[in-house]
Amino acid sequence: NLAKEDVLALNEDFKKMDTRTSRESLNNLARDAGKLGLEGSKNILNFVDAGNQINVALGEDLGEDAIKSIGKMVGVFARSTKELQGIGLKEQMLAVGSAINSLGASSSADESYLVAFAGRLGGVAKQAGISMDAILGFGSALDQDMQQVEMSATALQNFIMKLMGDPAKFAKLAGLEVKG
């Protein structure tokens, strides 16, 4: 939804970026930003800049469409994760990329597993108010235990939904009381 002049100006901004990433790849990131509903040259440029930095750091580990997935994750988890509140899109994406990179570097968890796991749990985690760092922690533990992402994400999602559906029952099982 940019005018031709805005697109040309955005391309000029891409030329000024200090990166080895091809302009075609930067344009693809800009396309992903548009698909995510981002509007305005500044937002698109911030998305491309953050996406490029994440790709440079984690590109081999994350695989195709990971930047778009991280962009979606930021949108889904921004309200339930206090660390993502009050900062711009670029900083949010870099924070998520950094968290994924840290978990991958400090454990045997696979970065692409973490992205897929968080993506599968985003909706229910948002409804339950569960932060991204908690979801990434669960994902890391499950991957280290060699659990398949599809099965483990579905199992955790089902558990969260049951817990939200009958909190008194689960509180009692945990030896707690729910106060109304």
Side-chain angles (χ1 to χ4, degrees), residues 69-128:
S69 296
I70 288 174
K72 286 180 184 179
M73 287 165 51
V74 164
V76 170
F77 284 98
R79 283 190 227 126
S80 66
T81 305
K82 66 180 177 187
E83 293 82 5
L84 297 179
Q85 296 171 359
I87 60 175
L89 174 66
K90 179 180 175 181
E91 292 78 16
Q92 290 175 332
M93 289 183 64
L94 292 174
V96 171
S98 179
I100 292 167
N101 192 30
S102 292
L103 284 169
S106 64
S107 71
S108 62
D110 183 69
E111 293 86 349
S112 61
Y113 182 102
L114 297 173
V115 171
F117 187 82
R120 290 173 181 273
L121 281 160
V124 73
K126 177 181 176 180
Q127 291 175 349

Side-chain angles (χ1 to χ4, degrees), residues 17 25 28 106 108 138 156 174:
M17 291 176 71
S25 295
N28 287 337
S106 64
S108 62
F138 290 134
L156 185 57

Side-chain angles (χ1 to χ4, degrees), residues 36-97:
L36 291 172
L38 297 177
E39 294 181 354
S41 297
K42 183 178 180 186
N43 287 332
I44 294 171
L45 182 60
N46 284 335
F47 179 90
V48 170
D49 191 21
N52 178 55
Q53 290 180 49
I54 293 167
N55 259 341
V56 168
L58 293 168
E60 291 178 9
D61 298 320
L62 293 180
E64 199 173 323
D65 290 333
I67 302 305
K68 189 168 31 171
S69 296
I70 288 174
K72 286 180 184 179
M73 287 165 51
V74 164
V76 170
F77 284 98
R79 283 190 227 126
S80 66
T81 305
K82 66 180 177 187
E83 293 82 5
L84 297 179
Q85 296 171 359
I87 60 175
L89 174 66
K90 179 180 175 181
E91 292 78 16
Q92 290 175 332
M93 289 183 64
L94 292 174
V96 171

